[in-house]
Amino acid sequence: MAKITRKPAPRKASVPKKEAKAIVAKPKAPARKSLKATRPKSIKPWTPAEIHEVFSRFRKANPEPKGELEHVNPFTLLVAVVLSAQATDAGVNKATRALFEIADTPQKMLDLGEERLREYIKTIGLYRTKARNVIALSAKVLSEFGGEVPRTRAEIESLPGAGRKTANVVLNMAFGEHTMAVDTHVFRVGNRTGLAPGKTPLEVELGLEKVIPAEFMLHAHHWLILHGRYTCLARKPRCEVCLINDLCRWPEKSV
């Protein structure tokens, strides 16, 4: 039998290894500026002497500032403040003048009833919800507080429709407590002037309470509200007539 001889398979041509890629050093990224360097410089804090001067000027210009919500007793004040949420004082006063002539106590308000109350306050925003809250708070004042507006912040805040600002206004105006009610005007003034910067109304409230001397605290929130309402306006502040324009820290003031 003939011997079969197999030819060896031809070797594959060796493939040269890929040349190593040249290592190119990447240029270093520019050093990142520190956060401290990029942040704007903070507003220079007010000195105690400057703060005393500010409120001395407010006191001299308006020794006995009054809140603009019309009321005849602590209960009607409480109701007026609850109604003033997201509404103007002028609008609330227009609605409550006739209302308070017939319902100036919790019992009279309950006797009036929610449906009739709505008719008196229907020109005020959210009047249906507010009418429900006023009737509910009247019932609670009668059942839990003997018909008298309570005199602590926690108790007032427990009433339907009443929050911290409402409690602070009532405690200050009805009972002479040294509280700081922060509405949109006080919040703006506290931040814009640098008196008490804060991201929330509570931060501004606590900041103002910390820096304002006790001798001014009874009227301080009225002065700040009036200043924000008539001088330190939201869109176009009247810096040219501002009592404190030389002390104000606002970098965009026009004087």
Side-chain angles (χ1 to χ4, degrees), residues 15-243:
V15 180
K17 292 182 178 181
K18 292 182 179 180
E19 295 181 2
K21 291 183 178 179
I23 299 175
V24 180
K26 293 182 179 180
K28 291 184 178 180
R32 188 177 180 181
K33 294 181 180 179
S34 67
L35 290 176
K36 186 176 180 181
T38 57
R39 287 175 181 163
K41 293 181 180 179
S42 59
I43 296 174
K44 179 183 176 183
W46 290 64
T47 67
E50 288 174 324
I51 294 172
H52 192 279
E53 175 64 19
V54 163
F55 287 93
S56 293
R57 293 181 191 181
F58 284 147
R59 180 170 61 187
K60 184 177 180 180
N62 189 0
E64 295 290 334
K66 303 295 182 184
E68 296 187 336
L69 283 174
E70 297 173 5
H71 61 283
V72 296
N73 55 34
F75 173 72
T76 55
L77 173 62
L78 170 64
V79 171
V81 179
V82 168
L83 294 177
S84 71
Q86 300 181 49
T88 65
D89 288 359
V92 172
N93 291 338
K94 185 176 180 180
T96 57
R97 285 180 190 126
L99 171 65
F100 292 157
E101 288 182 1
I102 63 168
D104 59 354
T105 69
Q107 186 60 62
K108 290 178 182 178
M109 194 66 74
L110 281 180
D111 293 342
L112 181 66
E114 184 178 334
E115 186 174 345
R116 290 179 62 197
L117 173 58
R118 286 202 299 264
E119 289 302 308
Y120 281 94
I121 65 171
K122 63 184 179 182
T123 56
I124 301 174
L126 305 174
Y127 75 97
R128 293 181 182 276
T129 299
K130 291 176 180 179
R132 185 161 55 249
N133 285 336
V134 168
I135 294 299
L137 75 81
S138 299
K140 188 167 183 176
V141 168
L142 280 169
S143 64
E144 297 188 20
F145 303 108
E148 301 291 331
V149 174
R151 299 188 62 156
T152 70
R153 181 183 285 116
E155 288 172 330
I156 295 175
E157 286 189 59
S158 74
L159 299 173
R164 187 178 181 92
K165 188 193 80 171
T166 298
N168 284 337
V169 172
V170 173
L171 289 172
N172 179 266
M173 293 180 63
F175 305 125
E177 299 286 340
H178 287 187
T179 55
M180 176 55 62
V182 177
D183 67 353
T184 182
H185 301 298
V186 176
F187 186 78
R188 179 172 65 255
V189 172
N191 276 287
R192 181 181 278 166
T193 64
L195 270 171
K199 295 180 180 179
T200 65
L202 181 58
E203 285 184 14
V204 173
E205 175 189 333
L206 297 179
L208 289 169
E209 287 182 345
K210 184 178 180 181
V211 300
I212 298 174
E215 66 179 287
F216 300 112
M217 275 301 297
L218 179 61
H219 297 310
H221 99 268
H222 286 306
W223 285 320
L224 293 173
I225 287 172
L226 295 172
H227 187 65
R229 182 173 289 163
Y230 298 111
T231 303
C232 196
L233 308 179
R235 294 188 178 181
K236 193 175 180 182
R238 302 173 64 214
C239 299
E240 69 280 1
V241 297
C242 175
L243 286 175

